């Protein structure tokens, strides 16, 4: 195997690491929970702050570029990451808020189709949202929310999902990448299967956007949504996004607000809602400029890196490298790899399963490695292709080996916080 230094020297994307603020003395492998700040994101954030300071209200029209069109121009820059037309993307709201908007827009229960299909591995917040839409329409979630089971508690079988598209299902929603195991679903195949059975289908791309290419338009997906603070590195709670397939652009937004009004009529202040003829119809209120600005800088870096395809290539090389190191360095310590091994089935992180996962994560943090624990027994390691090096991966696994060898994790209390 080539040395990590040789791999880094051969990496065409290595120069982007210098664009980021890396936490001093740490190996950061938690970019799938919160991506790091880049200088570019910081510059754009500071620009908005300065414009606010000097222009006040006139920033909406006189800033460079004017704030008023910022969410639309950022949406156009983001569209290639998910394989969408610019008009099919809105950069707005939060992940869960956007799911609420999409359900308000797409969930139209009617006899006999009055079931929402999801899966038991889905992100809890998404399930909360699905249940609340059923309850709001007087439908009992116990009967009208159907969750496809996972056979191994970590992954989903495409056949199990496809078999669940029965005639009473109106809408299906899955995560493109499972947040625990990192399993990547085949969006094209699922969309075909859903549409064949007359089911609307949408995807949560929070764990895939910025790490995995999507072809939402080509795949014919009805809708999708995501956050921008993981692999997109746009900052804590950054503005999220929505994909709305163009065949749905005449659909009335379920939750209407003045930023969903056509741009040329938004400031006419009419009490009649004339929705935008595109995904921005799903915007509700004034854009959150301060948590939008960093995304603009971050997307510049994605464009300069050549887009999502070379980033995915590097991401796969990094996770491959990590898996190889786990196999060569950590045998006999009780770890199993819980993520799918095949490239087309895995997202941007690997997941190590160990009964002592929580205590091992505490020891890793003390050793200067930032991992991510997911209850009850998973350690997630996410190398971010823009800023993680092969040397980082090698050093992290070496630290993990030391911890296991010396059993230093045993100094931590076995009782783990209920909420982590
Ligand atoms: C991170 C994440 C979310 C987060 O939702 P917020 O509304 O931004 O808190 C939702 N779904 C998935 C799959 C995620 O990974």
């Amino acid at each position: 195997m080539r040395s990590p230094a040789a791999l880094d020297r051969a990496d065409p994307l290595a120069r982007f690491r210098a664009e980021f603020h890396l936490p001093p003395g740490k190996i950061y492998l938690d970019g799938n929970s919160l991506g790091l700040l880049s200088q570019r994101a910081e510059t754009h954030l500071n620009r908005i702050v300065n414009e606010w300071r000097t222009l006040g209200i006139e920033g909406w029209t006189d800033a460079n570029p004017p704030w008023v069109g910022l969410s639309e121009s950022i949406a156009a820059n983001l569209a290639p990451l998910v394989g969408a037309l610019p008009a099919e993307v809105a950069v707005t709201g939060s992940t869960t808020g956007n799911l609420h908007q999409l359900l308000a827009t797409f969930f139209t229960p009617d006899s006999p189709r009055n079931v929402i299909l999801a899966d038991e591995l889905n992100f809890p917040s998404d399930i909360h949202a699905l249940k609340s839409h059923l309850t709001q329409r007087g439908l009992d979630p116990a009967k009208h929310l159907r969750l496809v089971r996972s056979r191994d508690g970590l992954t989903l079988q495409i056949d199990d999902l496809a078999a669940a598209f029965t005639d009473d299902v109106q809408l299906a929603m899955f995560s493109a990448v499972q947040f625990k195991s990192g399993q990547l679903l085949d969006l094209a195949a699922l969309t075909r299967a859903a549409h064949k059975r007359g089911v609307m289908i949408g995807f949560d791309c929070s764990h895939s956007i910025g790490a995995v290419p999507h072809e939402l338009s080509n795949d014919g997906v009805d809708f999708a949504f995501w956050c921008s603070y993981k692999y997109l590195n746009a900052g804590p709670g950054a503005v999220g996004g929505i994909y709305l397939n163009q065949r749905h652009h005449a659909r009335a937004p379920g939750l209407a607000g003045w930023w969903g009004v056509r741009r040329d009529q938004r400031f006419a202040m009419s009490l009649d809602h004339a929705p935008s003829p595109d995904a921005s119809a799903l915007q509700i209120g004034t854009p959150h400029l301060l948590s939008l600005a960093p995304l603009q800088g971050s997307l510049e870096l994605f464009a300069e890196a050549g887009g999502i395809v070379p980033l995915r290539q590097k991401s796969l090389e990094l996770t491959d490298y990590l898996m190889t190191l786990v196999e060569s360095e950590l045998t006999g310590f009780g770890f199993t790899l819980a993520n799918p091994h095949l490239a087309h089935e895995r997202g941007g992180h690997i997941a190590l399963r160990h009964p002592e996962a929580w205590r091992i994560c505490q020891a890793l943090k003390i050793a200067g490695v930032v991992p991510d624990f997911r209850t009850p027994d998973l350690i997630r390691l996410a190398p971010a292709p823009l800023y993680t090096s092969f040397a980082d991966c090698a050093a992290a696994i070496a630290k993990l080996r030391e911890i296991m060898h010396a059993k230093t994790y045993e100094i931590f209390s076995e009782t783990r916080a209920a909420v982590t």
Side-chain angles (χ1 to χ4, degrees), residues 95-96 123 126 175 204 206-207 229-230:
T95 323
T96 312
F123 201 75
D126 293 10
S175 279
D204 182 338
S206 296
H207 248 83
Y229 49 81
K230 293 172 181 167

Side-chain angles (χ1 to χ4, degrees), residues 119-121 147-157 160:
D119 63 272
E120 65 171 352
L121 302 182
L147 298 181
V148 177
R149 302 272 156 220
S150 161
R151 295 185 190 195
D152 58 3
L154 289 167
T155 57
L156 298 164
Q157 302 280 323
D160 293 347

Side-chain angles (χ1 to χ4, degrees), residues 175-179 182-185 204-205 207-208 212 346-349:
S175 279
V177 165
Q178 312 314 306
F179 75 97
Q183 181 197 16
L184 169 64
L185 296 181
D204 182 338
C205 298
H207 248 83
S208 48
V212 177
R346 68 180 201 265
H349 70 269

Side-chain angles (χ1 to χ4, degrees), residues 92-93 97-98 101 255-261 273 280-287:
T92 189
N98 288 339
Q101 167 66 297
L255 306 176
W258 71 314
W259 281 77
V261 169
H273 193 273
S280 63
L282 301 188
Q283 299 184 129
I284 299 176
T286 306

